Amino acid sequence: MPIAAWTLLCANILLQIAFPLTGGGTTAMTTGSALLLSVAMLCAAGATHGLRGALTLLLVAGGGGLLAETVGVHTGVPFGAYSYTGALQPELFGVPVAVPAAWIMMSWPAFVVATRLAADRTWLVIPVGAYALTAWDVFLDPQMVDNGYWQWDSTTPSLPGVDGIPLSNFAGWLMVSLIIMTCLSVAMRTGRGSDAPEGTVPLVAYLWTYFSSVIGHLVFFGRPMVAVVGGVLMGVIAIPLAISLVREVRRARR
């Protein structure tokens, strides 16, 4: 499973590198990227927690994400009123399959990163993990809206510099993320699982997503303010993570 996780992660990185060459990615590339990285994270979870861990992640993040998005698109709760345009196929219950895959692909990195940063303060895992997952959506939603995959009925009030995405979306993300992190924390009951070699896959995935998102919005996607705001908000997690990994490598070389 660790080899499969690394292989799928590398394949996803190569695919995402091609996104700027197509104006932000085609529908096939978007769906393919989400599926590649979600399966990579399922393999990573399985490597450290066995089949039960992979199935738990699939049910909690994938099933929970699908449920939240299905309710959300039909009722406006908890994200606010929005609709999918039909451009991102295939769909399940009116929700593109790439969407629950996206919940899987970043829920596990957010959880592992939170577990690492929280160290022995296990009570921090849930709020830190929820924040780590929600902060990523500051990059995701503007790109997907600009690509015409979904649209909002009302886009105000919004985060400064993140036009077109209502604050209600991020409030909804935080709420769903808190539920997902709580379920993962209870189900996995892990301490410092990220210390295992296999645990580096989600850590690398989180850092790659952060730095590539900053560069993408700054240089290629025409959203420099999203790069700045997202860079600051997600950087609250990503920068300390990067520093801790650099220090760990330096210690290992001594």
Side-chain angles (χ1 to χ4, degrees), residues 83-108:
S83 58
Y84 293 106
T85 63
L88 195 58
Q89 296 290 332
E91 292 185 351
L92 183 62
F93 305 123
V95 177
V97 296
V99 173
W103 282 97
I104 294 172
M105 78 182 202
M106 286 304 291
S107 288
W108 189 244

Side-chain angles (χ1 to χ4, degrees), residues 2 5-6 9 41 44 47-48 108-109 112-113 116 193-208 241 245 248-249:
W6 277 113
L9 173 60
M41 293 306 105
T48 51
W108 189 244
V112 174
V113 169
R116 180 186 182 89
S194 57
D195 284 342
E198 300 85 4
T200 56
V201 174
L203 302 180
V204 170
Y206 196 86
L207 290 178
W208 160 256
L241 171 63
L245 288 174
E248 187 174 287
V249 170

Side-chain angles (χ1 to χ4, degrees), residues 27 30-35 38 58 60-73 79 82-107 133 136-137 140-141 144-145 149-150 152 169 173 176 180:
T27 55
T30 300
T31 300
S33 176
L35 292 176
S38 63
L58 178 63
V60 170
L66 177 60
L67 176 61
E69 297 285 350
T70 301
V71 173
V73 77
F79 308 106
Y82 68 105
S83 58
Y84 293 106
T85 63
L88 195 58
Q89 296 290 332
E91 292 185 351
L92 183 62
F93 305 123
V95 177
V97 296
V99 173
W103 282 97
I104 294 172
M105 78 182 202
M106 286 304 291
S107 288
L133 182 54
W136 166 62
D137 191 54
L140 174 69
D141 235 271
M144 297 298 102
V145 167
Y149 295 146
W150 58 79
W152 294 94
N169 172 63
W173 262 76
V176 175
I180 289 176

Side-chain angles (χ1 to χ4, degrees), residues 52 111 126 181-189:
R52 175 178 170 272
F111 177 71
I126 294 172
M181 292 301 140
T182 299
C183 292
L184 289 178
S185 183
V186 171
M188 301 300 183
R189 298 191 181 281

Side-chain angles (χ1 to χ4, degrees), residues 1-17:
M1 278 192 181
I3 295 176
W6 277 113
T7 302
L8 291 166
L9 173 60
C10 291
N12 174 70
I13 289 174
L14 291 174
L15 180 59
Q16 289 186 342
I17 288 174

